[in-house]
Amino acid sequence: MLSASEFVPVTRIAGDHPVNSPQSPRRGLPTHSSPRVDPSNGQRSSSRLVGARRSMARRLGILAAAGLVAASLLTPVSAGAAVASPDGLSQATAAASCWEIKQLTPAAPSGVYWLNTPKLGSAAQFHCDQDTDGGGWVLVGRGRDGWSEANEGQGTTAEVRGSVTGQAAFAPRQLSTGVIGALLNGQPVKSLPDGIRLRRAANLDGTAWQESRFTFSSPRDEWSWMFNNEQRVAVWRIGSSSGSGGQTSAFGAGNQLDRIETVTGANQGWKAGFGYGTGARGSADPASYMWAPSSTAGNPRPFTQVYLRPQMMSSTIYSAIPDTGTAKSEKPGSAESFALPTGWGVSGLGAGPNTVEGSVEVSAFAEGNGVVYVGGNFLTVQKTAAGGSQVAQSYLAAFDVRTGEFITSFRPTFDKQIKALAVLPDGRVAAGGFFTQVNGAPRAGLVVLNPTTGATDTTFTTTITNSLSGGVPIVRALDVQDSWLYVGGTFTHMTGGSVTSPVYVRAGGRVSVTNGTPDRTWNPEFNGSVIALDASPKKDRVYFAGYFTASKTTPADKGAALSAVDTSVIPWTIDHSSTANYQQAVKEVGEKVWIGGSEHNLYSYDRAGMTETSTNIGKSGGDFQAISSDGTTVYAGCHCFYTNYSGARRWPSIGTDWTQATKISSAGAWDNATGKPATQFSPIVSQRAGAGAWALFNDSTGVTWFGGDYSASVRSTLAKQWSGGFVRFAHNDTQAPSTPSGLSVTPSSTGDVLKWTGSTDNRGAVSYQVLRHDRVVATTGAGTVTLPAADAGTKYFVRAADGTGNWSASTPAAVVAAPAEPQPEQVTFVNTGATWAYSFSQTAPPAGWQAPGYDASTWSTGAAPLGWGHAQLGTTLTSPEPRPLTSFYRKSFNVADVTKVAMMTLTTRADDGIVVYVNGVEVLRRNINAGAVTSTTYANMAVSATSAVANPVTVSVPGSAFTTGANVIAVEVHSNYRSTPSHSFELSAVSQ
């Protein structure tokens, strides 16, 4: 399925003109806005392409129905034929591949075509090279230096197919892994007979070009833009040279142009690309087709086009839809790859140990009372990299779990860093670390705080000591389970609560959550420090990871599972390298136990028998050091930024038995059930010193928090933002919209009129995909569409799609019926751009403002759209600060004869939340929680103005809701937060 950035919008593809705009291409003809392509690729210039396509269009007879375009249809189907020829010239005639177009129409020129597969769902446009080596190649990426190695790719499908060569195409644009996988319809990348094709500039001015091909011998099911790793090459042809073997990081012949090197480091200016050998030279000139940071640097990055050639035909990938319709399709759950907008972060380095890895800004999270507590080695809390709104708050701070807002009332003081946090059952906050003073008083390693103020809780009196060499007690791990606070770190004794004499509990122990009384009967007695622990939710065992090799006299090599009753050791053999010095993360998730640590390992084990179920090795980079889970997806953090090798067991030589090479950037995700990487999660982050994720946390709202030395992240707009110490990722949308219903098909003089009752979705607006026979032929945002007439007995289906690639089940089949009687003309009662009375002030209107009889004569008036934060406004709303959360609107109109109004469709937008009333009765609510609504009610999601306009909200109101004579529509629009960048409203009312 397509991700949010990949899904084809309802009325517009990014970069294209809206339907029926004066600039829209003629129906049935592909667009020709691309610049002239380089003749050395055998592609035709723009003017020749137009002529060739028009000639082909006439030959194929696709212009016959040109006058039957429906306003709500993205691209109409061709008339009459039961199944149109897949020529790629319209959405309805989309082909399975560029290859199919070339096989069916040998004269087809290179250019932009519509492609569709069952995995894509609805058609989208891509650039096809129909000239090179028999044609049939689809362009999946192009650019010079600075390629993205993330699965999210870079840019939109429109940008990839837009500028395909020339200096305008130097900035890389790449399809996402999801889109490429859908173009392959799930076919493994390794099985492509033509492998991967690179077309690279071979000189500085772009007048010479080189063709390359290579295939894989190592496993490669899913596409990945990460080539700087140990994926094994089977055979290759680079220019005039050919051979076999090598790894995708560097292979080929010699050290000049007959070589492909994707190694990325300081010598390459840290810019990824499909480089030449170390002996080749480029130029830093912005106009150079072969970029290098200097004229003496090797591995220049040439402008490159990346092509694939899936040889698929529609007849082999599609099958007829049963009369019951299609099943729903929902994306697997994980955090979204793009970060939430940064509100607050932390900055500065405190008095932690002087190591890059051990003293990061954020190393602990815990949640309680609607608050996320963030601990680490930071000094300040602030909003920007430059220190905006900076507050001096060291080592521990509190943030609202829903908004990320800094909570100023929680102000504890520490002298050194926090390494562990836990919230006790009554809400108090336990903190562990390297500190020796808390709130101005001596307190070494462990303290419990008031959750609101951060004051020291004097009723919790646990004191830890360390009688070993050095004598400094350190707490690195905390967890709460079954009335116990479990503690791990470097210490030997505890006192507290009702125990006044030291209790021997070496490196691990537990104390009462009430007053901190140590359990003198529960002593793991590890012979080395504990770095991490996890008390099982099943309450029967506790897991530890660290530097130890034994618990008492029982071997426990760097990891241990102990009975929660008596600390007896549960047999567990961790098959790590003999040189592994420690394990530093452990987590039980369902029936699995995950552990990670030195030598770059992340393993999982079956809980019942503690037998190994999956292995992973990170390379290059460093060890795994944090694990969390949302219950189905496991997140693991590391100081690694290149590749995770699933199935590998040892570092540094990972061998050849690994099963999947996946991009990883400080943290990755794995499916807990299968142990396989969840490749849909591919974050793009930057860090101050590359220490990686040292704390991972899944909060109660589904958001995943990364903590470490983070300095930047990338939002869904592809904009880079400052992230201070931690980054938040929302959970992706895994819920399909509800199924449309009541689909009917009525022949008319203008074609087949399809109508249906719309769907609802958990996050916002939906679009509708109209299927005919076996595939999608149209996409619309309305509940009706008119298609050119099809043969009698043709079967239609409709399903709903959200903005993130989830599809509802479709309606059952609706069959073309006899033409219906002419329908009454639509009447517009409220136009877009109409003038509305509005109220936008610190004082909300009185109760009953929605009623027809309310006197709104003192309200302001203005033309729609009304609001702020959008370029196309009729009226801009202003008010004294603070800006009100809600704006209110009223409009009256007359209905001459209500008996002639069967239904009235209201079309509006939700930016961010909206409630609509007809004659005082609520008829529509979107992005507003159920229950009473006031002027201080927040919308439950933030929606950009662009998204709101692109995803209109419609409701069909029965005629019985109106009266003959005066009627009133009243509306209230709510923001998700007061500083929202956009807030807008517009509405039209049209009778059916």
Short mmCIF file of all heavy atoms in Angstrom, two decimals, residues 650-693:
data_model
loop_
_atom_site.label_atom_id
_atom_site.label_comp_id
_atom_site.label_asym_id
_atom_site.label_seq_id
_atom_site.Cartn_x
_atom_site.Cartn_y
_atom_site.Cartn_z
N ARG A 650 27.10 -12.68 13.87
CA ARG A 650 28.37 -12.23 14.41
C ARG A 650 28.84 -10.95 13.73
O ARG A 650 28.55 -10.71 12.57
CB ARG A 650 29.45 -13.31 14.23
CG ARG A 650 29.18 -14.59 15.00
CD ARG A 650 29.36 -14.40 16.50
NE ARG A 650 29.19 -15.65 17.22
CZ ARG A 650 28.03 -16.06 17.73
NH1 ARG A 650 26.94 -15.31 17.59
NH2 ARG A 650 27.95 -17.20 18.37
N TRP A 651 29.57 -10.18 14.50
CA TRP A 651 30.22 -8.98 14.00
C TRP A 651 31.72 -9.10 14.29
O TRP A 651 32.09 -9.69 15.31
CB TRP A 651 29.63 -7.76 14.72
CG TRP A 651 30.29 -6.46 14.35
CD1 TRP A 651 29.95 -5.64 13.34
CD2 TRP A 651 31.41 -5.86 15.00
NE1 TRP A 651 30.78 -4.55 13.30
CE2 TRP A 651 31.70 -4.66 14.31
CE3 TRP A 651 32.23 -6.22 16.08
CZ2 TRP A 651 32.76 -3.82 14.68
CZ3 TRP A 651 33.27 -5.38 16.44
CH2 TRP A 651 33.53 -4.19 15.75
N PRO A 652 32.60 -8.64 13.41
CA PRO A 652 32.34 -7.81 12.23
C PRO A 652 32.07 -8.60 10.95
O PRO A 652 31.55 -8.04 10.00
CB PRO A 652 33.63 -7.01 12.10
CG PRO A 652 34.69 -7.92 12.61
CD PRO A 652 34.05 -8.66 13.75
N SER A 653 32.44 -9.87 10.91
CA SER A 653 32.20 -10.65 9.70
C SER A 653 30.81 -11.26 9.78
O SER A 653 30.57 -12.21 10.54
CB SER A 653 33.26 -11.75 9.55
OG SER A 653 32.99 -12.54 8.41
N ILE A 654 29.86 -10.72 9.01
CA ILE A 654 28.48 -11.17 9.12
C ILE A 654 28.20 -12.41 8.28
O ILE A 654 27.10 -12.95 8.32
CB ILE A 654 27.51 -10.04 8.71
CG1 ILE A 654 27.76 -9.62 7.26
CG2 ILE A 654 27.65 -8.86 9.66
CD1 ILE A 654 26.72 -8.67 6.72
N GLY A 655 29.18 -12.87 7.49
CA GLY A 655 28.99 -14.07 6.69
C GLY A 655 28.01 -13.87 5.55
O GLY A 655 27.74 -12.74 5.11
N THR A 656 27.44 -14.96 5.09
CA THR A 656 26.53 -14.93 3.94
C THR A 656 25.16 -15.51 4.25
O THR A 656 24.34 -15.67 3.35
CB THR A 656 27.15 -15.70 2.77
OG1 THR A 656 27.35 -17.08 3.15
CG2 THR A 656 28.47 -15.09 2.32
N ASP A 657 24.90 -15.82 5.51
CA ASP A 657 23.64 -16.47 5.86
C ASP A 657 22.53 -15.48 6.21
O ASP A 657 21.42 -15.89 6.51
CB ASP A 657 23.85 -17.43 7.04
CG ASP A 657 24.72 -18.61 6.67
OD1 ASP A 657 24.76 -18.96 5.47
OD2 ASP A 657 25.38 -19.17 7.57
N TRP A 658 22.84 -14.19 6.22
CA TRP A 658 21.80 -13.22 6.57
C TRP A 658 20.71 -13.21 5.51
O TRP A 658 20.94 -13.55 4.36
CB TRP A 658 22.39 -11.83 6.79
CG TRP A 658 23.26 -11.32 5.68
CD1 TRP A 658 24.60 -11.50 5.54
CD2 TRP A 658 22.84 -10.56 4.54
NE1 TRP A 658 25.05 -10.90 4.40
CE2 TRP A 658 24.00 -10.31 3.76
CE3 TRP A 658 21.62 -10.06 4.11
CZ2 TRP A 658 23.96 -9.58 2.58
CZ3 TRP A 658 21.58 -9.34 2.94
CH2 TRP A 658 22.73 -9.11 2.19
N THR A 659 19.52 -12.80 5.91
CA THR A 659 18.35 -12.93 5.03
C THR A 659 17.82 -11.61 4.52
O THR A 659 17.03 -11.58 3.57
CB THR A 659 17.21 -13.65 5.77
OG1 THR A 659 16.89 -12.92 6.97
CG2 THR A 659 17.63 -15.07 6.14
N GLN A 660 18.20 -10.49 5.13
CA GLN A 660 17.67 -9.21 4.69
C GLN A 660 18.59 -8.10 5.17
O GLN A 660 19.03 -8.08 6.31
CB GLN A 660 16.26 -8.99 5.23
CG GLN A 660 15.57 -7.75 4.68
CD GLN A 660 14.12 -7.67 5.11
OE1 GLN A 660 13.58 -8.60 5.70
NE2 GLN A 660 13.46 -6.57 4.81
N ALA A 661 18.90 -7.17 4.27
CA ALA A 661 19.68 -5.98 4.61
C ALA A 661 18.75 -4.78 4.60
O ALA A 661 18.15 -4.45 3.58
CB ALA A 661 20.81 -5.78 3.61
N THR A 662 18.62 -4.11 5.76
CA THR A 662 17.64 -3.05 5.93
C THR A 662 18.32 -1.78 6.43
O THR A 662 19.15 -1.84 7.33
CB THR A 662 16.56 -3.47 6.94
OG1 THR A 662 16.00 -4.72 6.55
CG2 THR A 662 15.46 -2.44 7.01
N LYS A 663 17.95 -0.65 5.85
CA LYS A 663 18.46 0.63 6.32
C LYS A 663 18.06 0.85 7.78
O LYS A 663 16.92 0.59 8.17
CB LYS A 663 17.90 1.75 5.45
CG LYS A 663 18.11 3.16 6.00
CD LYS A 663 19.56 3.57 6.03
CE LYS A 663 19.71 5.01 6.52
NZ LYS A 663 21.11 5.39 6.71
N ILE A 664 19.01 1.33 8.59
CA ILE A 664 18.71 1.67 9.97
C ILE A 664 19.37 3.01 10.28
O ILE A 664 20.48 3.28 9.82
CB ILE A 664 19.18 0.56 10.95
CG1 ILE A 664 18.62 0.82 12.35
CG2 ILE A 664 20.69 0.43 10.96
CD1 ILE A 664 18.78 -0.36 13.29
N SER A 665 18.67 3.84 11.02
CA SER A 665 19.18 5.17 11.33
C SER A 665 18.94 5.46 12.81
O SER A 665 17.92 6.01 13.19
CB SER A 665 18.50 6.23 10.47
OG SER A 665 19.02 7.51 10.73
N SER A 666 19.85 5.00 13.64
CA SER A 666 19.85 5.15 15.09
C SER A 666 18.84 4.28 15.80
O SER A 666 18.97 4.00 16.99
CB SER A 666 19.66 6.60 15.52
OG SER A 666 18.31 6.99 15.52
N ALA A 667 17.81 3.84 15.09
CA ALA A 667 16.81 2.92 15.65
C ALA A 667 16.02 2.33 14.51
O ALA A 667 15.85 2.94 13.46
CB ALA A 667 15.88 3.64 16.63
N GLY A 668 15.56 1.11 14.73
CA GLY A 668 14.74 0.43 13.74
C GLY A 668 13.54 -0.22 14.39
O GLY A 668 13.37 -0.16 15.61
N ALA A 669 12.71 -0.84 13.56
CA ALA A 669 11.50 -1.49 14.05
C ALA A 669 11.45 -2.91 13.54
O ALA A 669 11.89 -3.20 12.42
CB ALA A 669 10.26 -0.72 13.60
N TRP A 670 10.88 -3.81 14.34
CA TRP A 670 10.74 -5.22 13.99
C TRP A 670 9.35 -5.70 14.36
O TRP A 670 8.76 -5.26 15.36
CB TRP A 670 11.76 -6.07 14.76
CG TRP A 670 13.15 -5.94 14.26
CD1 TRP A 670 13.83 -6.80 13.45
CD2 TRP A 670 14.08 -4.87 14.56
NE1 TRP A 670 15.11 -6.33 13.21
CE2 TRP A 670 15.29 -5.15 13.87
CE3 TRP A 670 14.00 -3.70 15.32
CZ2 TRP A 670 16.40 -4.31 13.93
CZ3 TRP A 670 15.10 -2.86 15.37
CH2 TRP A 670 16.28 -3.17 14.70
N ASP A 671 8.81 -6.58 13.55
CA ASP A 671 7.54 -7.21 13.86
C ASP A 671 7.79 -8.24 14.95
O ASP A 671 8.58 -9.16 14.77
CB ASP A 671 6.95 -7.86 12.61
CG ASP A 671 5.64 -8.55 12.90
OD1 ASP A 671 4.61 -7.87 12.93
OD2 ASP A 671 5.65 -9.79 13.13
N ASN A 672 7.09 -8.09 16.07
CA ASN A 672 7.35 -8.99 17.19
C ASN A 672 6.98 -10.43 16.88
O ASN A 672 7.65 -11.37 17.32
CB ASN A 672 6.59 -8.52 18.43
CG ASN A 672 6.96 -9.31 19.67
OD1 ASN A 672 8.13 -9.38 20.04
ND2 ASN A 672 5.98 -9.93 20.31
N ALA A 673 5.92 -10.64 16.10
CA ALA A 673 5.46 -12.00 15.82
C ALA A 673 6.46 -12.76 14.95
O ALA A 673 6.75 -13.93 15.20
CB ALA A 673 4.09 -11.96 15.15
N THR A 674 6.99 -12.09 13.93
CA THR A 674 7.88 -12.78 12.98
C THR A 674 9.35 -12.53 13.24
O THR A 674 10.20 -13.28 12.76
CB THR A 674 7.56 -12.33 11.55
OG1 THR A 674 7.88 -10.93 11.41
CG2 THR A 674 6.09 -12.55 11.22
N GLY A 675 9.66 -11.47 13.95
CA GLY A 675 11.05 -11.10 14.15
C GLY A 675 11.67 -10.39 12.97
O GLY A 675 12.85 -10.04 13.01
N LYS A 676 10.89 -10.14 11.93
CA LYS A 676 11.42 -9.51 10.73
C LYS A 676 11.39 -7.98 10.86
O LYS A 676 10.51 -7.43 11.51
CB LYS A 676 10.63 -9.93 9.50
CG LYS A 676 10.74 -11.41 9.17
CD LYS A 676 9.93 -11.76 7.93
CE LYS A 676 10.07 -13.23 7.57
NZ LYS A 676 9.28 -13.58 6.36
N PRO A 677 12.33 -7.31 10.20
CA PRO A 677 12.31 -5.84 10.25
C PRO A 677 11.02 -5.27 9.67
O PRO A 677 10.51 -5.77 8.65
CB PRO A 677 13.50 -5.44 9.38
CG PRO A 677 14.41 -6.63 9.41
CD PRO A 677 13.51 -7.82 9.48
N ALA A 678 10.48 -4.25 10.32
CA ALA A 678 9.31 -3.54 9.81
C ALA A 678 9.82 -2.39 8.95
O ALA A 678 10.05 -1.29 9.43
CB ALA A 678 8.46 -3.03 10.96
N THR A 679 10.02 -2.68 7.67
CA THR A 679 10.71 -1.73 6.80
C THR A 679 9.89 -0.49 6.51
O THR A 679 10.41 0.48 5.97
CB THR A 679 11.08 -2.40 5.47
OG1 THR A 679 9.89 -2.95 4.87
CG2 THR A 679 12.07 -3.52 5.70
N GLN A 680 8.59 -0.49 6.87
CA GLN A 680 7.80 0.73 6.65
C GLN A 680 8.23 1.85 7.58
O GLN A 680 7.89 3.01 7.35
CB GLN A 680 6.30 0.44 6.83
CG GLN A 680 5.86 0.16 8.26
CD GLN A 680 5.94 -1.32 8.61
OE1 GLN A 680 6.61 -2.09 7.92
NE2 GLN A 680 5.23 -1.72 9.66
N PHE A 681 9.00 1.51 8.64
CA PHE A 681 9.50 2.54 9.54
C PHE A 681 10.95 2.84 9.18
O PHE A 681 11.82 1.98 9.32
CB PHE A 681 9.40 2.08 10.99
CG PHE A 681 9.96 3.09 11.97
CD1 PHE A 681 9.38 4.33 12.10
CD2 PHE A 681 11.05 2.78 12.75
CE1 PHE A 681 9.89 5.26 12.99
CE2 PHE A 681 11.56 3.70 13.65
CZ PHE A 681 10.98 4.94 13.77
N SER A 682 11.19 4.04 8.68
CA SER A 682 12.53 4.41 8.21
C SER A 682 12.77 5.88 8.53
O SER A 682 12.66 6.74 7.67
CB SER A 682 12.66 4.16 6.70
OG SER A 682 13.95 4.44 6.24
N PRO A 683 13.07 6.20 9.79
CA PRO A 683 13.20 7.61 10.19
C PRO A 683 14.43 8.26 9.58
O PRO A 683 15.40 7.60 9.22
CB PRO A 683 13.32 7.52 11.71
CG PRO A 683 13.95 6.17 11.95
CD PRO A 683 13.36 5.27 10.90
N ILE A 684 14.36 9.58 9.47
CA ILE A 684 15.47 10.38 8.97
C ILE A 684 15.85 11.36 10.07
O ILE A 684 15.10 12.30 10.36
CB ILE A 684 15.09 11.12 7.68
CG1 ILE A 684 14.54 10.14 6.63
CG2 ILE A 684 16.29 11.88 7.11
CD1 ILE A 684 13.94 10.81 5.42
N VAL A 685 16.98 11.12 10.72
CA VAL A 685 17.37 11.91 11.89
C VAL A 685 18.85 12.26 11.80
O VAL A 685 19.61 11.64 11.06
CB VAL A 685 17.10 11.13 13.20
CG1 VAL A 685 15.61 10.93 13.42
CG2 VAL A 685 17.82 9.78 13.19
N SER A 686 19.23 13.27 12.58
CA SER A 686 20.63 13.65 12.72
C SER A 686 20.95 13.73 14.21
O SER A 686 20.06 13.96 15.04
CB SER A 686 20.90 15.02 12.07
OG SER A 686 20.63 14.99 10.69
N GLN A 687 22.24 13.55 14.53
CA GLN A 687 22.65 13.56 15.93
C GLN A 687 23.91 14.39 16.11
O GLN A 687 24.71 14.55 15.19
CB GLN A 687 22.85 12.14 16.43
CG GLN A 687 21.56 11.33 16.39
CD GLN A 687 21.65 10.05 17.17
OE1 GLN A 687 22.32 9.12 16.73
NE2 GLN A 687 20.99 9.98 18.31
N ARG A 688 24.07 14.89 17.32
CA ARG A 688 25.21 15.73 17.63
C ARG A 688 26.53 14.99 17.47
O ARG A 688 27.49 15.49 16.87
CB ARG A 688 25.08 16.27 19.06
CG ARG A 688 26.30 17.01 19.58
CD ARG A 688 26.10 17.45 21.03
NE ARG A 688 25.69 16.36 21.89
CZ ARG A 688 26.51 15.44 22.40
NH1 ARG A 688 27.79 15.45 22.13
NH2 ARG A 688 26.04 14.48 23.19
N ALA A 689 26.63 13.78 18.02
CA ALA A 689 27.89 13.03 17.98
C ALA A 689 27.70 11.60 17.52
O ALA A 689 28.62 10.80 17.62
CB ALA A 689 28.53 13.06 19.37
N GLY A 690 26.52 11.24 17.02
CA GLY A 690 26.30 9.89 16.53
C GLY A 690 26.19 8.83 17.61
O GLY A 690 26.52 7.66 17.39
N ALA A 691 25.72 9.22 18.79
CA ALA A 691 25.60 8.25 19.88
C ALA A 691 24.40 7.34 19.72
O ALA A 691 24.30 6.30 20.38
CB ALA A 691 25.50 8.98 21.23
N GLY A 692 23.44 7.67 18.87
CA GLY A 692 22.28 6.82 18.63
C GLY A 692 21.21 6.98 19.69
O GLY A 692 21.24 7.87 20.53
N ALA A 693 20.24 6.06 19.63
CA ALA A 693 19.12 6.10 20.57
C ALA A 693 19.50 5.37 21.85
O ALA A 693 19.79 4.18 21.83
CB ALA A 693 17.89 5.45 19.94
#
